Amino acid sequence: MAKHRVHSIEFKRQLVAEYTAGETLHALAKRHDISRNLIRIWIAKAEVGAFDNEAEAADLLSGYEAKIAALERLVGRQALELEYLKGALKHGRSSRNVSMSVITGPVVSALPRDVG
């Protein structure tokens, strides 16, 4: 069974250019192991400008893929921040009337001077 191959737009344009330069369909098909009918299809598409639209669509698609990747990284970073803050909120709950120091923690109440 024949494998389905995908050829780049540049390769298709190259074959069309070789054909228009005088190369025969038979020689092109044999050299690149491609059917002559497929080359005819590419020639017809090139004549109507279909390869130009495909190139623009490929550029647009790659731009969208890059934007999606950046947004996915941002969502991942925000998810990590959210989990961190949820954990900090869960473990950081203490009574609000206790004085806290960022460096030493809860302030220990001093004993009255008159004790003793």
Side-chain angles (χ1 to χ4, degrees):
M1 180 174 220
K3 293 181 180 179
H4 178 74
R5 294 184 292 181
V6 177
H7 301 283
S8 69
I9 294 171
E10 290 78 22
F11 178 74
K12 295 174 186 179
R13 285 182 179 163
Q14 174 192 348
L15 284 182
V16 170
E18 289 176 16
Y19 175 76
T20 55
E23 190 78 35
T24 64
L25 283 176
H26 180 73
L28 285 171
K30 190 171 185 175
R31 185 170 357 122
H32 296 288
D33 192 28
I34 297 174
S35 75
R36 288 178 287 186
N37 193 38
L38 183 58
I39 297 173
R40 283 186 193 105
I41 292 170
W42 291 346
I43 292 168
K45 283 187 172 185
E47 288 174 352
V48 297
F51 290 151
D52 297 334
N53 294 337
E54 288 180 16
E56 290 174 13
D59 291 342
L60 187 62
L61 182 63
S62 66
Y64 285 153
E65 287 173 347
K67 190 170 186 174
I68 288 170
L71 290 172
E72 286 176 343
R73 285 191 300 274
L74 178 62
V75 167
R77 210 171 23 246
Q78 288 177 341
L80 285 174
E81 290 175 2
L82 186 60
E83 288 302 315
Y84 174 78
L85 292 173
K86 282 182 182 177
L89 184 61
K90 185 184 294 182
H91 296 297
R93 292 196 187 251
S94 62
S95 65
R96 295 200 180 258
N97 58 3
V98 175
S99 298
M100 294 286 282
S101 169
V102 175
I103 298 171
T104 61
V107 177
V108 179
S109 60
L111 293 174
R113 293 186 191 256
D114 295 335
V115 177

